[in-house]
Amino acid sequence: MQRLHPVDVRRYSHIVALADEGSFNAAALRVHLSQPAFSRSIQAAEAELGMQLFVRSGKGIRCTAAGNFVVERLRTLLRASSNLHRDLAMFREGIVGDLHFGMGPVIAAALLAPLLSDMRRQYPSVRVRAVVQHPTVL
């Protein structure tokens, strides 16, 4: 059994690019690498995974059965990685996340409904939890 290595998202994107493009030159252009550097990346990936992912022929490049298996899973992983980066950026900007706060009943009667309405309108992805209690309990 092959030992698993840390995720190299960049190398994984190279594998998917080659599967999509069917050409080392086109895939290298897509990921902004020289063709020799791109070829080394694919060779290193195949060596690391311990399997041939692509069949190289005069007609171009095509995935092996193992390549199809790996590429499908890499697409899922790359999509999740992209979503994570997007979500982290949104969290840093305060667009998503959780907000928990408390207030006394008098202030809540005057402010809570408009505050929650404004929050929902301006930050629909932020989950809000408001606790209304006597100030000594809060």
Side-chain angles (χ1 to χ4, degrees), residues 89-133:
M90 290 171 50
F91 185 82
R92 277 191 298 273
E93 295 171 21
I95 297 171
V96 298
D98 297 322
L99 173 65
H100 301 257
F101 64 92
M103 60 179 61
V106 174
I107 293 176
L111 299 177
L112 188 57
L115 175 66
L116 292 176
S117 178
D118 285 348
M119 283 294 300
R120 178 64 55 205
R121 188 172 47 260
Q122 290 182 28
Y123 303 100
S125 295
V126 173
R127 291 182 297 212
V128 178
R129 180 172 175 250
V131 176
V132 179
Q133 289 283 343

Side-chain angles (χ1 to χ4, degrees), residues 27-88:
L29 283 172
R30 175 172 152 180
V31 300
H32 310 290
L33 278 180
S34 70
Q35 194 276 327
F38 184 81
S39 292
R40 286 191 300 274
S41 176
I42 296 299
Q43 288 170 348
E46 289 179 322
E48 186 176 290
L49 295 172
M51 61 182 79
Q52 184 179 356
L53 302 176
F54 300 97
V55 173
R56 296 133 173 101
S57 70
K59 297 178 182 178
I61 307 297
R62 63 179 176 79
C63 287
T64 63
N68 284 324
F69 178 83
V70 169
V71 167
E72 181 159 331
R73 279 144 187 83
L74 290 181
R75 287 187 199 285
T76 302
L77 184 134
L78 292 171
R79 200 170 24 258
S81 175
S82 176
N83 290 345
L84 173 63
H85 288 287
R86 182 204 63 222
D87 291 350
L88 290 174

